């Protein structure tokens, strides 16, 4: 990697001290990311509150994620990371064609679910170094060598966008875009084949996160395909209330107010309409909706 010639101030950080030897995993390259999972013998009981968080795991799983720093996270930390950045990942999928599931899985691994040093000090969630031509802000951080130059962003959204530009702007990743956007396994293996990571288990780790946290549902939402989840398993894993799937449809219904979690796809299925028809009724150009937005349904 070639260091940057940043013109803006440089912030210096140092690598976190490693954990105890029994859980330490040594990283051998920039993109060699190790994880170690340990299931608690005694389930962690969450306190009862009047306003519980949306995603709380009843049986916590703690793991060590090693990227540009070593981070210990639990299942609810990862779940909250996904909730926070899934919309950015889906928006980027629409623009750049990179599966949201892949982006989220890489973000989890590269940033330690947002808890890693670079994520905190530089909003850098993908460990992207300065490289030649970078004129933005930067930070110094120990990685393959001492005090290497890493890009610093004003916000996480910029990091996600830069990651997309990183993949779309380099010819060695061009073959990835021949894969189906819904085939996350091919994308995971393709990233390794293209040289994104030196860890031979990198594809398996991405696939594991995608399957454990059902990240492929976000690909399906963008592609507007019928995502079939396992409600019983989700309810068992997460302390959330299941949504009622059956409603009484009033054919004389004039409008519908968008609720939290609604998408054009879910609304079209609910009222037995085509997405195209729903968009035409409401003069919508894009698929984005906002809570409280009023949509015309049948009249």
């Amino acid at each position: 990697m070639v260091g940057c010639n940043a013109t803006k101030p440089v912030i210096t950080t140092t690598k976190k001290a490693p954990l105890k030897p029994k859980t330490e995993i040594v990283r051998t390259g920039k993109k060699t990311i190790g994880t170690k999972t340990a299931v608690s013998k005694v389930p962690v009981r969450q306190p009862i509150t009047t306003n519980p968080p949306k995603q709380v795991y009843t049986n916590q799983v703690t793991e060590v994620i090693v990227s540009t720093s070593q981070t210990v996270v639990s299942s609810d930390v990862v779940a909250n990371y996904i909730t926070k950045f899934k919309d950015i990942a889906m928006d980027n999928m629409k623009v750049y064609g990179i599966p949201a599931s892949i982006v989220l899985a890489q973000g989890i691994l590269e940033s330690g679910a947002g808890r890693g040093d670079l994520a905190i000090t530089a909003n850098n969630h993908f460990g992207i170094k300065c490289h030649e031509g970078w004129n933005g802000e930067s930070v110094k951080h120990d990685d393959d060598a001492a005090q290497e130059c890493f890009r610093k962003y004003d916000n996480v959204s910029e990091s996600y966008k830069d990651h997309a530009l990183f993949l779309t702007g380099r010819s060695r990743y061009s073959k990835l875009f021949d894969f189906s956007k819904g085939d996350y396994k091919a994308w995971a293996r393709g990233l390794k084949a293209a040289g994104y990571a030196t860890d031979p288990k990198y594809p398996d780790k991405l696939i594991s996160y995608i399957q454990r946290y059902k990240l492929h549902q976000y690909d399906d939402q963008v592609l507007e395909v019928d995502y079939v989840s396992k409600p019983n398993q989700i309810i068992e894993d997460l302390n959330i209330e299941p949504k009622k799937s059956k409603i009484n449809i009033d054919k004389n219904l004039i409008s519908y107010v968008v609720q939290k979690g609604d998408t054009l796809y879910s609304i079209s299925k609910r009222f037995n309409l085509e997405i195209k028809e729903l968009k035409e009724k409401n003069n919508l150009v894009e698929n984005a909706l906002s809570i409280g937005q009023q949509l015309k349904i049948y009249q």
Side-chain angles (χ1 to χ4, degrees):
M1 298 290 184
V2 179
C4 76
N5 294 316
T7 58
K8 296 185 180 180
V10 174
I11 302 171
T12 301
T13 64
T14 57
K15 190 173 183 178
K16 287 187 178 179
L19 301 180
K20 294 181 180 180
K22 64 179 182 180
T23 58
E24 182 178 358
I25 301 173
V26 180
R27 184 170 182 271
T28 59
K30 173 189 176 297
K31 296 294 180 181
T32 304
I33 301 172
T35 61
K36 184 175 181 180
T37 303
V39 181
S40 304
K41 294 182 179 179
V42 181
V44 176
R45 296 183 180 277
Q46 300 296 324
I48 299 175
T49 62
T50 55
N51 296 303
K54 296 177 182 177
Q55 292 188 331
V56 179
Y57 277 70
T58 55
N59 291 298
Q60 292 296 326
V61 177
T62 300
E63 60 186 299
V64 178
I65 300 177
V66 180
S67 53
T68 51
S69 59
Q70 184 168 274
T71 312
V72 180
V73 299
S74 58
S75 300
D76 62 334
V77 170
V78 177
N80 288 335
Y81 180 90
I82 294 165
T83 299
K84 191 172 182 180
F85 299 115
K86 62 181 177 65
D87 289 333
I88 295 176
M90 287 192 289
D91 286 342
N92 280 4
M93 180 178 176
K94 295 172 185 176
V95 175
Y96 301 103
I98 304 167
S101 60
I102 288 291
V103 176
L104 286 168
Q106 286 189 287
I108 292 167
L109 282 172
E110 297 285 352
S111 74
R115 298 292 182 91
D117 290 348
L118 285 175
I120 294 172
T121 62
N123 285 319
N124 190 330
H125 281 227
F126 298 93
I128 298 180
K129 296 182 181 180
C130 293
H131 302 296
E132 186 176 0
W134 173 252
N135 295 316
E137 290 186 84
S138 63
V139 297
K140 297 292 185 181
H141 183 79
D142 293 346
D143 192 41
D144 295 332
Q147 294 297 283
E148 291 190 85
C149 182
F150 286 86
R151 300 182 183 188
K152 183 178 185 295
Y153 306 98
D154 291 336
N155 54 63
V156 179
S157 180
E158 286 185 7
S159 178
Y160 269 70
K161 180 179 179 180
D162 200 32
H163 168 263
L165 294 174
F166 182 85
L167 293 183
T168 56
R170 286 163 172 75
S171 59
R172 63 173 171 158
Y173 298 117
S174 60
K175 290 184 179 180
L176 291 172
F177 297 89
D178 293 333
F179 299 133
S180 166
K181 293 181 181 64
D183 191 350
Y184 62 85
K185 291 182 180 179
W187 275 80
R189 293 170 184 137
L191 281 167
K192 173 64 178 65
Y196 189 92
T198 57
D199 182 2
K201 294 184 179 180
Y202 189 76
D204 295 332
K205 292 169 184 175
L206 292 182
I207 292 169
S208 174
Y209 273 106
I210 291 169
Q211 294 178 341
R212 268 192 282 161
Y213 292 93
K214 303 173 179 63
L215 303 182
H216 48 292
Q217 66 178 293
Y218 305 119
D219 300 337
D220 293 341
Q221 287 183 35
V222 174
L223 297 172
E224 298 181 348
V225 300
D226 191 5
Y227 171 68
V228 180
S229 63
K230 297 180 180 178
N232 294 335
Q233 185 62 43
I234 295 174
I235 295 166
E236 181 180 329
D237 290 344
L238 302 173
N239 186 25
I240 57 177
E241 291 294 327
K243 292 183 179 180
K244 295 181 180 180
S245 58
K246 294 182 179 180
I247 64 170
N248 294 322
I249 298 177
D250 182 1
K251 291 294 184 180
N252 295 316
L253 187 65
I254 296 176
S255 64
Y256 172 77
V257 178
V258 176
Q259 306 296 315
K260 191 169 186 178
D262 281 341
T263 63
L264 275 178
Y265 175 74
S266 66
I267 294 172
S268 67
K269 284 293 183 182
R270 174 175 294 187
F271 297 108
N272 196 27
L273 296 170
E274 294 292 333
I275 292 177
K276 181 179 179 181
E277 180 183 1
L278 193 58
K279 291 175 73 172
E280 288 177 351
K281 285 177 178 288
N282 294 277
N283 298 319
L284 298 177
V285 178
E286 298 182 350
N287 293 339
L289 297 175
S290 58
I291 297 173
Q293 181 177 353
Q294 199 166 45
L295 298 178
K296 294 179 182 178
I297 303 300
Y298 292 119
Q299 294 184 351

